[in-house]
mmCIF file of all heavy atoms in Angstrom:
data_model
loop_
_atom_site.group_PDB
_atom_site.id
_atom_site.type_symbol
_atom_site.label_atom_id
_atom_site.label_comp_id
_atom_site.label_asym_id
_atom_site.label_seq_id
_atom_site.Cartn_x
_atom_site.Cartn_y
_atom_site.Cartn_z
ATOM 1 N N ASN D 622 17.153 15.944 -27.755
ATOM 2 C CA ASN D 622 17.366 15.586 -26.349
ATOM 3 C C ASN D 622 17.576 16.807 -25.464
ATOM 4 O O ASN D 622 17.108 16.849 -24.324
ATOM 5 C CB ASN D 622 18.564 14.642 -26.223
ATOM 6 C CG ASN D 622 18.240 13.246 -26.739
ATOM 7 O OD1 ASN D 622 17.078 12.876 -26.854
ATOM 8 N ND2 ASN D 622 19.269 12.479 -27.061
ATOM 9 N N VAL D 623 18.283 17.815 -25.973
ATOM 10 C CA VAL D 623 18.515 19.021 -25.174
ATOM 11 C C VAL D 623 17.200 19.760 -24.940
ATOM 12 O O VAL D 623 16.923 20.216 -23.826
ATOM 13 C CB VAL D 623 19.550 19.938 -25.853
ATOM 14 C CG1 VAL D 623 19.637 21.285 -25.131
ATOM 15 C CG2 VAL D 623 20.921 19.273 -25.878
ATOM 16 N N ALA D 624 16.382 19.859 -25.975
ATOM 17 C CA ALA D 624 15.106 20.558 -25.844
ATOM 18 C C ALA D 624 14.216 19.893 -24.805
ATOM 19 O O ALA D 624 13.631 20.562 -23.939
ATOM 20 C CB ALA D 624 14.400 20.602 -27.199
ATOM 21 N N ILE D 625 14.114 18.579 -24.851
ATOM 22 C CA ILE D 625 13.243 17.895 -23.893
ATOM 23 C C ILE D 625 13.845 17.936 -22.488
ATOM 24 O O ILE D 625 13.111 17.949 -21.491
ATOM 25 C CB ILE D 625 12.930 16.450 -24.350
ATOM 26 C CG1 ILE D 625 11.633 15.957 -23.673
ATOM 27 C CG2 ILE D 625 14.089 15.511 -24.116
ATOM 28 C CD1 ILE D 625 11.081 14.676 -24.255
ATOM 29 N N ASP D 626 15.188 18.004 -22.404
ATOM 30 C CA ASP D 626 15.825 18.194 -21.092
ATOM 31 C C ASP D 626 15.391 19.520 -20.480
ATOM 32 O O ASP D 626 15.027 19.590 -19.302
ATOM 33 C CB ASP D 626 17.356 18.197 -21.232
ATOM 34 C CG ASP D 626 17.948 16.802 -21.422
ATOM 35 O OD1 ASP D 626 17.214 15.811 -21.237
ATOM 36 O OD2 ASP D 626 19.141 16.719 -21.760
ATOM 37 N N VAL D 627 15.455 20.585 -21.275
ATOM 38 C CA VAL D 627 15.080 21.920 -20.791
ATOM 39 C C VAL D 627 13.623 21.924 -20.337
ATOM 40 O O VAL D 627 13.282 22.429 -19.250
ATOM 41 C CB VAL D 627 15.322 22.981 -21.876
ATOM 42 C CG1 VAL D 627 14.689 24.313 -21.489
ATOM 43 C CG2 VAL D 627 16.815 23.155 -22.127
ATOM 44 N N ALA D 628 12.744 21.345 -21.160
ATOM 45 C CA ALA D 628 11.324 21.306 -20.809
ATOM 46 C C ALA D 628 11.104 20.532 -19.517
ATOM 47 O O ALA D 628 10.313 20.941 -18.657
ATOM 48 C CB ALA D 628 10.532 20.675 -21.954
ATOM 49 N N ARG D 629 11.797 19.425 -19.379
ATOM 50 C CA ARG D 629 11.621 18.582 -18.188
ATOM 51 C C ARG D 629 12.127 19.280 -16.929
ATOM 52 O O ARG D 629 11.461 19.249 -15.879
ATOM 53 C CB ARG D 629 12.355 17.255 -18.392
ATOM 54 C CG ARG D 629 12.013 16.177 -17.382
ATOM 55 C CD ARG D 629 12.782 14.900 -17.638
ATOM 56 N NE ARG D 629 14.216 15.076 -17.513
ATOM 57 C CZ ARG D 629 15.066 15.114 -18.535
ATOM 58 N NH1 ARG D 629 14.630 14.989 -19.776
ATOM 59 N NH2 ARG D 629 16.370 15.287 -18.335
ATOM 60 N N ILE D 630 13.279 19.921 -17.012
ATOM 61 C CA ILE D 630 13.830 20.629 -15.847
ATOM 62 C C ILE D 630 12.887 21.747 -15.415
ATOM 63 O O ILE D 630 12.678 21.982 -14.216
ATOM 64 C CB ILE D 630 15.233 21.183 -16.153
ATOM 65 C CG1 ILE D 630 16.230 20.037 -16.361
ATOM 66 C CG2 ILE D 630 15.710 22.104 -15.028
ATOM 67 C CD1 ILE D 630 16.420 19.120 -15.167
ATOM 68 N N LEU D 631 12.273 22.430 -16.370
ATOM 69 C CA LEU D 631 11.313 23.496 -16.040
ATOM 70 C C LEU D 631 10.079 22.942 -15.342
ATOM 71 O O LEU D 631 9.404 23.661 -14.602
ATOM 72 C CB LEU D 631 10.888 24.229 -17.316
ATOM 73 C CG LEU D 631 11.919 25.171 -17.933
ATOM 74 C CD1 LEU D 631 11.481 25.606 -19.325
ATOM 75 C CD2 LEU D 631 12.155 26.394 -17.049
ATOM 76 N N CYS D 632 9.777 21.666 -15.566
ATOM 77 C CA CYS D 632 8.572 21.055 -14.990
ATOM 78 C C CYS D 632 8.844 20.290 -13.693
ATOM 79 O O CYS D 632 7.896 19.863 -13.014
ATOM 80 C CB CYS D 632 7.944 20.103 -16.001
ATOM 81 S SG CYS D 632 7.196 20.919 -17.431
ATOM 82 N N ARG D 633 10.078 20.082 -13.341
ATOM 83 C CA ARG D 633 10.413 19.302 -12.160
ATOM 84 C C ARG D 633 10.088 20.058 -10.865
ATOM 85 O O ARG D 633 10.135 21.289 -10.815
ATOM 86 C CB ARG D 633 11.910 18.956 -12.145
ATOM 87 C CG ARG D 633 12.353 17.931 -13.187
ATOM 88 C CD ARG D 633 11.867 16.559 -12.855
ATOM 89 N NE ARG D 633 12.579 15.521 -13.603
ATOM 90 C CZ ARG D 633 12.160 14.271 -13.715
ATOM 91 N NH1 ARG D 633 11.035 13.894 -13.132
ATOM 92 N NH2 ARG D 633 12.852 13.389 -14.404
ATOM 93 N N THR D 634 9.824 19.307 -9.801
ATOM 94 C CA THR D 634 9.630 19.887 -8.474
ATOM 95 C C THR D 634 10.973 20.066 -7.790
ATOM 96 O O THR D 634 11.989 19.480 -8.204
ATOM 97 C CB THR D 634 8.754 18.984 -7.599
ATOM 98 O OG1 THR D 634 9.464 17.746 -7.379
ATOM 99 C CG2 THR D 634 7.415 18.686 -8.265
ATOM 100 N N ARG D 635 10.964 20.815 -6.710
ATOM 101 C CA ARG D 635 12.198 20.969 -5.929
ATOM 102 C C ARG D 635 12.686 19.617 -5.424
ATOM 103 O O ARG D 635 13.883 19.322 -5.464
ATOM 104 C CB ARG D 635 11.977 21.916 -4.751
ATOM 105 C CG ARG D 635 13.247 22.096 -3.923
ATOM 106 C CD ARG D 635 13.050 22.863 -2.629
ATOM 107 N NE ARG D 635 14.295 22.845 -1.863
ATOM 108 C CZ ARG D 635 15.250 23.758 -1.951
ATOM 109 N NH1 ARG D 635 15.113 24.769 -2.780
ATOM 110 N NH2 ARG D 635 16.340 23.666 -1.219
ATOM 111 N N ASP D 636 11.770 18.781 -4.939
ATOM 112 C CA ASP D 636 12.165 17.473 -4.412
ATOM 113 C C ASP D 636 12.843 16.622 -5.480
ATOM 114 O O ASP D 636 13.819 15.918 -5.186
ATOM 115 C CB ASP D 636 10.950 16.736 -3.855
ATOM 116 C CG ASP D 636 10.465 17.323 -2.539
ATOM 117 O OD1 ASP D 636 11.211 18.120 -1.935
ATOM 118 O OD2 ASP D 636 9.336 16.987 -2.124
ATOM 119 N N GLU D 637 12.327 16.689 -6.694
ATOM 120 C CA GLU D 637 12.952 15.916 -7.776
ATOM 121 C C GLU D 637 14.345 16.442 -8.093
ATOM 122 O O GLU D 637 15.288 15.677 -8.274
ATOM 123 C CB GLU D 637 12.066 15.976 -9.029
ATOM 124 C CG GLU D 637 10.793 15.160 -8.938
ATOM 125 C CD GLU D 637 9.874 15.390 -10.124
ATOM 126 O OE1 GLU D 637 9.476 16.556 -10.356
ATOM 127 O OE2 GLU D 637 9.556 14.405 -10.808
ATOM 128 N N LEU D 638 14.488 17.770 -8.153
ATOM 129 C CA LEU D 638 15.770 18.383 -8.496
ATOM 130 C C LEU D 638 16.790 18.261 -7.366
ATOM 131 O O LEU D 638 17.999 18.182 -7.610
ATOM 132 C CB LEU D 638 15.571 19.849 -8.868
ATOM 133 C CG LEU D 638 14.768 20.116 -10.149
ATOM 134 C CD1 LEU D 638 14.515 21.610 -10.315
ATOM 135 C CD2 LEU D 638 15.495 19.563 -11.365
ATOM 136 N N ALA D 639 16.308 18.260 -6.125
ATOM 137 C CA ALA D 639 17.209 18.220 -4.970
ATOM 138 C C ALA D 639 17.948 16.891 -4.851
ATOM 139 O O ALA D 639 18.904 16.782 -4.085
ATOM 140 C CB ALA D 639 16.437 18.501 -3.687
ATOM 141 N N LYS D 640 17.529 15.893 -5.599
ATOM 142 C CA LYS D 640 18.204 14.594 -5.590
ATOM 143 C C LYS D 640 19.328 14.537 -6.619
ATOM 144 O O LYS D 640 19.974 13.504 -6.765
ATOM 145 C CB LYS D 640 17.194 13.477 -5.895
ATOM 146 C CG LYS D 640 16.049 13.373 -4.886
ATOM 147 C CD LYS D 640 15.010 12.372 -5.366
ATOM 148 C CE LYS D 640 13.816 12.329 -4.417
ATOM 149 N NZ LYS D 640 12.729 11.441 -4.942
ATOM 150 N N THR D 641 19.546 15.627 -7.337
ATOM 151 C CA THR D 641 20.505 15.655 -8.438
ATOM 152 C C THR D 641 21.702 16.543 -8.109
ATOM 153 O O THR D 641 21.772 17.158 -7.038
ATOM 154 C CB THR D 641 19.835 16.196 -9.715
ATOM 155 O OG1 THR D 641 19.682 17.625 -9.603
ATOM 156 C CG2 THR D 641 18.461 15.561 -9.938
ATOM 157 N N ASP D 642 22.617 16.651 -9.068
ATOM 158 C CA ASP D 642 23.780 17.528 -8.888
ATOM 159 C C ASP D 642 23.577 18.876 -9.577
ATOM 160 O O ASP D 642 24.542 19.557 -9.920
ATOM 161 C CB ASP D 642 25.058 16.857 -9.403
ATOM 162 C CG ASP D 642 25.059 16.670 -10.918
ATOM 163 O OD1 ASP D 642 24.017 16.918 -11.565
ATOM 164 O OD2 ASP D 642 26.106 16.264 -11.465
ATOM 165 N N ILE D 643 22.318 19.278 -9.767
ATOM 166 C CA ILE D 643 22.040 20.590 -10.342
ATOM 167 C C ILE D 643 22.734 21.670 -9.506
ATOM 168 O O ILE D 643 22.906 21.524 -8.291
ATOM 169 C CB ILE D 643 20.507 20.838 -10.398
ATOM 170 C CG1 ILE D 643 20.180 22.068 -11.256
ATOM 171 C CG2 ILE D 643 19.909 20.988 -9.005
ATOM 172 C CD1 ILE D 643 18.707 22.207 -11.577
ATOM 173 N N ALA D 644 23.173 22.741 -10.164
ATOM 174 C CA ALA D 644 23.845 23.823 -9.444
ATOM 175 C C ALA D 644 22.957 24.340 -8.316
ATOM 176 O O ALA D 644 21.744 24.465 -8.484
ATOM 177 C CB ALA D 644 24.181 24.957 -10.415
ATOM 178 N N ASP D 645 23.556 24.616 -7.168
ATOM 179 C CA ASP D 645 22.764 25.001 -5.998
ATOM 180 C C ASP D 645 21.951 26.267 -6.239
ATOM 181 O O ASP D 645 20.794 26.369 -5.822
ATOM 182 C CB ASP D 645 23.648 25.136 -4.752
ATOM 183 C CG ASP D 645 24.877 25.995 -4.976
ATOM 184 O OD1 ASP D 645 25.061 26.519 -6.094
ATOM 185 O OD2 ASP D 645 25.670 26.145 -4.017
#
């Protein structure tokens, strides 16, 4: 699960990430 999380975050767009609580 951690590996696929890392891969997915690397592939996400800014718009997708901006809807989350990812560190600014």
